[in-house]
Amino acid sequence: MNYCRSVVNKEFVSVLYYSPTRAHCRTLSTGVIADTDPGDKPRLRAVDLAQKIQKEKLKTPEDQTPVSALQQRVTELRRFTKQLQNVHPNVLAKHLHRGVLYQDKDLVIINKPYGIAVHDSTTNSISSVLPVLSKMMDGMKVKTDSLLLPCLGLEKEVTGVLPLARSVKAAEHIANLHRHNQVLRKYWAVTVGVPVPAEGIVDIPIIEREVAGHQPHYKMSLSPLFRMNDDGDGLTKMRAHRQAQPAVTKYKVLDSGSGCSLVELEPLTDVKHQLRVHMAFALSCPILGDHKYSHWNKLAPQKLPERILKRLKLEQSKSRNLPLHLHARELMVQQTPEIDLTCSLPKYFFQTLNLFRLTFTEKDK
């Protein structure tokens, strides 16, 4: 007959188990006072829980739920683009601190991550964490009244060089240089299609228009000054729309292949969504991952040719996970001393270049 006896003191319970098949007793020290009713189910100890977790980690791939290559690819894209969108402000500030490209007494230039707005009152934004970033740069234990102010903008989905002024006076100075074309920015984009000709200037005004339909919305659109005449053999000058804004973009194809291209873009004007509109509607080569301007009359994920989807290891139903491939690559500030720096590509952008075997030379950097 099996029996057990418990010995209780103030600090722990010792339970003695006797088995007729064994000639000895085993003592288990639980460390806490426990109910020793033989009918009760034994509690799971911390050591048992740790062993269970360790076994889960050591499971072989055959024991785990299989994950398709497509699921892995989608998970990877989401990790690239959404890892900073729901973090604590201090975590975002630390990330920006690690991404400082340049600093002096008047200017700080950072590498802006994907999916973070420069200004946004509802979620994490660059502006909302600048006080923390400023203290990190000056030393958390140092009392300081220094500021960091965005002096040029970047869209939420655009990555790359973003200048920050250390004072209101410095911000006004950069804005004045920008108005006089002394602040130059060059962007890199992966486009669906290859622009023809391979190098040129797009000079077509842009206007914001409402798109009617099932989901009414607003988009920037071309507002050309000329159109083909009815006979199709000449151009007819149109009356300029008073709300249209002049927009000029220089572009140059750096490499192309598999139906895509790596294009350098230099905006000579500063109009909302200028680069995206000129590439999509003027050159018929929308930027990869531009779900807003790949269609004019609807809101829908970008539709891609089969060979491009194959290169990207995606299906059309998952194309909505593609991020916008537009990166502020270079910033030049024509002052004394002159600032000229380039910003490394984000990981997802570089991976796409590898998938399409698009290359660039040291001269392009």
Side-chain angles (χ1 to χ4, degrees):
M1 178 177 179
N2 296 344
Y3 68 93
C4 69
R5 177 171 57 88
S6 62
V7 180
V8 181
N9 63 21
K10 293 182 180 180
E11 297 183 2
F12 65 90
V13 178
S14 293
V15 184
L16 302 180
Y17 292 93
Y18 173 78
S19 171
T21 59
R22 296 185 181 181
H24 64 277
C25 292
R26 181 166 57 88
T27 302
L28 173 64
S29 296
T30 65
V32 296
I33 299 177
D35 189 354
T36 58
D37 188 341
D40 288 347
K41 185 177 180 180
R43 295 181 180 181
L44 184 64
R45 298 175 301 157
V47 65
D48 296 327
L49 182 59
Q51 290 174 351
K52 182 178 179 181
I53 294 174
Q54 188 65 23
K55 287 180 181 179
E56 289 291 329
K57 290 182 178 180
L58 295 176
K59 277 187 176 181
T60 62
E62 291 78 11
D63 298 327
Q64 298 172 352
T65 304
V67 178
S68 69
L70 177 62
Q71 289 174 312
Q72 290 178 346
R73 176 67 172 143
V74 170
T75 300
E76 187 178 54
L77 287 172
R78 288 175 177 170
R79 185 176 70 250
F80 287 161
T81 58
K82 296 184 178 180
Q83 58 185 350
L84 291 173
Q85 293 182 9
N86 295 303
V87 298
H88 190 277
N90 288 355
V91 176
L92 177 58
K94 287 180 182 178
H95 181 87
L96 298 180
H97 191 206
R98 290 194 296 268
V100 170
L101 304 172
Y102 171 87
Q103 59 178 309
D104 60 28
K105 63 182 180 62
D106 295 318
L107 195 64
V108 174
I109 301 175
I110 63 172
N111 181 1
K112 178 190 168 300
Y114 184 91
I116 305 297
V118 176
H119 301 282
D120 194 329
S121 59
T122 58
T123 60
N124 269 357
S125 66
I126 302 294
S127 296
S128 68
V129 300
L130 288 183
V132 181
L133 177 60
S134 180
K135 288 188 67 66
M136 287 181 177
M137 298 190 68
D138 293 337
M140 295 298 289
K141 295 182 179 180
V142 177
K143 290 185 177 181
T144 176
D145 296 326
S146 63
L147 300 173
L148 282 176
L149 305 169
C151 43
L152 293 176
L154 275 184
E155 296 169 35
K156 181 178 180 179
E157 294 83 8
V158 179
T159 58
V161 286
L162 177 66
L164 306 170
R166 284 189 176 270
S167 65
V168 174
K169 183 179 179 180
E172 292 174 348
H173 174 65
I174 294 297
N176 184 57
L177 291 176
H178 187 248
R179 280 192 298 270
H180 291 85
N181 297 319
Q182 291 179 285
V183 177
L184 306 178
R185 286 193 285 184
K186 292 183 179 180
Y187 295 74
W188 280 12
V190 177
T191 65
V192 180
V194 182
V196 178
E199 185 174 355
I201 295 178
V202 179
D203 185 357
I204 305 177
I206 291 176
I207 189 172
E208 188 170 32
R209 290 194 173 116
E210 183 178 8
V211 180
H214 180 64
Q215 295 176 287
H217 60 285
Y218 286 86
K219 283 183 180 176
M220 305 304 288
S221 177
L222 299 179
S223 181
L225 299 177
F226 296 88
R227 65 174 178 83
M228 293 294 293
N229 60 25
D230 295 336
D231 296 330
D233 58 359
L235 295 176
T236 300
K237 188 171 183 178
M238 302 171 61
R239 183 178 179 181
H241 197 291
R242 67 176 60 185
Q243 293 181 343
Q245 303 176 66
V248 183
T249 303
K250 289 177 64 176
Y251 73 91
K252 178 183 177 182
V253 177
L254 302 179
D255 196 14
S256 61
S258 303
C260 285
S261 54
L262 173 63
V263 182
E264 181 183 83
L265 302 169
E266 182 179 348
L268 303 183
T269 53
D270 190 13
V271 179
K272 179 182 176 181
H273 297 172
Q274 172 181 323
L275 302 179
R276 298 164 67 179
V277 172
H278 276 171
M279 292 309 301
F281 300 147
L283 294 172
S284 299
C285 294
I287 297 173
L288 184 66
D290 193 346
H291 307 292
K292 185 178 183 72
Y293 291 104
S294 291
H295 312 276
W296 162 244
N297 58 351
K298 61 181 178 180
L299 291 172
Q302 187 176 44
K303 188 170 178 60
L304 297 170
E306 190 61 37
R307 63 174 176 168
I308 291 179
L309 288 170
K310 187 175 181 180
R311 284 279 185 180
L312 292 170
K313 303 177 183 179
L314 284 174
E315 294 177 355
Q316 182 59 52
S317 62
K318 303 298 182 182
S319 69
R320 65 182 181 275
N321 294 289
L322 276 173
L324 181 69
H325 284 63
L326 181 59
H327 176 69
R329 174 69 170 173
E330 183 178 0
L331 175 71
M332 299 172 59
V333 182
Q334 297 174 349
Q335 61 176 15
T336 304
E338 184 176 83
I339 299 171
D340 186 358
L341 59 87
T342 58
C343 180
S344 59
L345 299 170
K347 190 172 182 179
Y348 72 86
F349 197 115
F350 193 75
Q351 185 184 71
T352 298
L353 294 183
N354 289 334
L355 291 174
F356 286 107
R357 298 176 184 174
L358 299 174
T359 60
F360 52 89
T361 63
E362 291 295 324
K363 185 178 179 181
D364 298 324
K365 289 183 179 181

